[in-house]
Amino acid sequence: MNFSFKTLLKAFAKFWRVKRNRYLSFLVLISLIALVEYLVLGLVRRTFVFYSDLDGSTIVEDRMFHGSSSRETDIRRYVEEIILGPVSPDAALLIPRETALQSLLYRDGVVYADFSVISALPPDTAGLPQTVPPEDGVFRSFLTINEGIRRNFSYVKDVKLFIGGNEIFFNEFRAIFTEPADNTNKTGQKALTN
């Protein structure tokens, strides 16, 4: 047994002397540590889109969430973060901060989200061009929420949004999301001009 341990130690020393082998060993070790950390923490990156207060330009924020075993819980956390608003100080809220998520269900690939009545009020329109009426700001906000859910959760087939139990913008959303992708125009801008 002593002989085999010495042989193993000599083979390891010979392997370790080569610079490339040391680098490869460190790379494997770092990869294993990252994999263990990923599996233990279970963090998932989600993206949020908000609009600038100054000029209405798009601001994208990334946030890390703890993943759960329930898809519905993950979507609920995402929507609640949207209600809390942006981290960036020069970004506007999508919907009023007083808004409550009354219910959220995920069934057969469809998300049903019901917001309180106060969410029907237009958000702060400082970031919108002066030619855009406030009701288009509400449409843009809910279109952004709809697109965000679809973008962050690939298993979602459809999103149905409600305010006070009444479905909103169902014809407009159906027209937008049934058209094939057109990369020449932004979906939101295209929808606002129709």
Side-chain angles (χ1 to χ4, degrees):
M1 180 166 167
N2 196 10
F3 174 73
S4 63
F5 181 70
K6 284 183 181 181
T7 307
L8 183 65
L9 196 57
K10 285 182 183 181
F12 180 73
K14 184 178 178 183
F15 175 82
W16 198 253
R17 275 189 221 127
V18 179
K19 191 175 188 178
R20 188 174 357 152
N21 291 343
R22 283 195 309 264
Y23 288 152
L24 181 63
S25 299
F26 289 137
L27 183 63
V28 168
L29 180 65
I30 290 171
S31 298
L32 286 174
I33 290 171
L35 179 64
V36 168
E37 181 183 26
Y38 170 76
L39 294 175
V40 170
L41 293 179
L43 293 178
V44 180
R45 181 182 312 273
R46 301 287 182 221
T47 59
F48 295 82
V49 174
F50 296 100
Y51 300 98
S52 172
D53 264 341
L54 305 174
D55 60 359
S57 62
T58 303
I59 297 174
V60 178
E61 294 181 359
D62 287 333
R63 299 183 193 171
M64 300 299 285
F65 288 93
H66 287 285
S68 73
S69 59
S70 168
R71 291 179 169 182
E72 186 174 304
T73 303
D74 290 339
I75 298 168
R76 177 182 305 279
R77 287 178 185 164
Y78 178 79
V79 173
E80 288 172 348
E81 281 289 318
I82 289 174
I83 292 172
L84 287 176
V87 174
S88 176
D90 62 334
L93 294 169
L94 285 178
I95 51 181
R97 196 175 301 271
E98 298 82 19
T99 299
L101 180 63
Q102 306 229 337
S103 65
L104 188 135
L105 297 171
Y106 172 71
R107 300 292 185 269
D108 299 324
V110 181
V111 173
Y112 302 91
D114 187 17
F115 296 89
S116 60
V117 177
I118 197 159
S119 64
L121 296 175
D124 182 20
T125 56
L128 292 173
Q130 297 302 321
T131 58
V132 176
E135 57 272 7
D136 285 347
V138 173
F139 175 77
R140 181 176 80 161
S141 295
F142 281 101
L143 178 63
T144 303
I145 293 169
N146 192 323
E147 290 173 336
I149 293 170
R150 290 172 188 260
R151 181 182 54 255
N152 285 286
F153 305 97
S154 60
Y155 48 82
V156 172
K157 297 177 203 165
D158 194 13
V159 177
K160 297 188 181 277
L161 301 176
F162 298 83
I163 295 179
N166 298 313
E167 188 172 2
I168 57 169
F169 304 120
F170 49 91
N171 289 329
E172 292 87 346
F173 288 164
R174 186 176 336 124
I176 290 170
F177 293 113
T178 56
E179 291 179 10
D182 180 12
N183 294 331
T184 58
N185 292 332
K186 289 182 181 177
T187 306
Q189 295 300 326
K190 189 172 164 185
L192 287 175
T193 58
N194 287 340

